[in-house]
């Protein structure tokens, strides 16, 4: 990638995409273009060329792809339905894509064989990209630490966080680390046809995550275990939580509880030269979101 290259960031207003944009601006000389459905509400810096577009609308997407040298693609849908059109459009305009996939995609299985719905949809998108002839990199991150922002309302209101599967162990990832790997993959040699398995540096259960937030905020916080059905009803009543994601999330937790404890990878450090950030670091960076 040279100084004059233009990179299109899809999902630029999201947890990871916003970090990809800011890190591209901070550490590279590439021109940064962003796709947003509502540019006026995107809140991106003036250095970013924000284009209106929707992955479900090929015309606007084609316009945003004009003159682009590489694309950071995230997939916001619960199915792979418009993926063939999107991958075709990217292929017509640029040779290079870095795809934010998911650790739910399991090696050695076809998309149809993937046991989890997220693994199926992201597995399909990975497969289409790999078949397209694009020079690709797939990022397969473990659970995002930003998911724990779902507890912010409960933490503001009291000292308990209620939910199901408090014993589920996770290797939570800081969005800045996912973005740091994406930026290296977009701008440095050696990442074409790589599948980067990304995790945080430690494994913590949900109950331990709640305790960590309390320690960092200087308040005693505790996990209160709910039955799956009570947790389901709670999530369905939460206007900030998408209803179609409630059952896949709880099914995913049940699977994670039954699976072997997650392994830690060193990919973040190998790619970026810096160890993955701890969950304590993530809470420190987001403390204001919990008060
Ligand atoms: N959360 C986890 O634990 C986890 C773990 C592994 C993988 N993942 C994967 O990571 C991805 C989520 O990343 P994130 O947390 O950074 O995203 P996010 O914060 O949920 O943000 C969603 C982004 O998608 C964009 N978007 C939504 N619908 C769109 C559409 N129709 N066309 C174009 N853009 C659209 C939004 O942009 P505008 O609203 O501005 O248009 C926004 O930038 C998902 O694919 C998820 O499966 C998540």
């Amino acid at each position: 990638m040279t100084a004059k290259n233009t990179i299109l960031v899809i999902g630029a207003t999201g947890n990871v995409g916003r970090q990809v944009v800011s890190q591209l601006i901070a550490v590279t000389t590439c021109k940064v273009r962003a796709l947003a459905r509502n540019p006026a509400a995107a809140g991106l810096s003036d250095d970013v060329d924000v284009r209106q577009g929707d992955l479900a609308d090929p015309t606007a997407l084609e316009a945003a792809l004009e003159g682009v040298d590489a694309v950071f693609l995230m997939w916001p849908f619960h199915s792979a339905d418009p993926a063939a059109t999107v991958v075709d459009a990217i292929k017509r305009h640029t040779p290079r894509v870095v795809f934010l996939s998911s650790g739910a995609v399991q090696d050695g299985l076809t998309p149809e064989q993937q046991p989890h719905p997220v693994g199926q949809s992201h597995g399909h998108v990975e497969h289409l990209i790999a078949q397209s002839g694009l020079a690709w990199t797939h990022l397969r991150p473990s659970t995002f630490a930003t998911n724990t922002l779902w507890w912010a309302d409960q933490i503001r209101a009291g000292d308990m966080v209620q939910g199901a599967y408090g014993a589920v162990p996770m290797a939570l990832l800081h969005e800045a680390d996912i973005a740091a790997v994406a930026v290296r993959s977009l701008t440095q040699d050696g990442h074409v046809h790589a599948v980067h398995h990304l995790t945080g540096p430690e494994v913590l259960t949900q109950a331990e995550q709640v305790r960590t937030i309390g320690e960092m905020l200087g308040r005693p916080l505790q996990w209160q275990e709910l039955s799956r059905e009570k947790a389901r009803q709670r999530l369905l009543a939460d206007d900030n939580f998408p209803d179609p994601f409630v059952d896949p999330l709880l099914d995913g937790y049940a699977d994670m509880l039954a699976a072997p404890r997650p392994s830690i990878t060193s990919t973040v450090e190998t790619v970026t030269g810096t160890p993955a950030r701890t969950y304590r670091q993530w809470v420190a960076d987001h403390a204001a979101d919990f008060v």
Side-chain angles (χ1 to χ4, degrees), residues 130-147:
Q131 296 299 306
S132 70
L134 281 156
W136 54 265
T137 307
H138 296 329
L139 310 183
R140 289 194 192 159
S142 62
T143 311
F144 295 1
T146 51
N147 292 0

Side-chain angles (χ1 to χ4, degrees), residues 1 8-9 18 20 24 89 117 137 159 215 223 241 249 257 265:
M1 248 337 100
L8 175 67
V9 180
R18 194 173 285 284
V20 172
L24 279 170
T137 307
D159 295 334
E215 283 162 21
W223 178 264
F241 203 89
L249 178 80
L257 199 54
T265 72

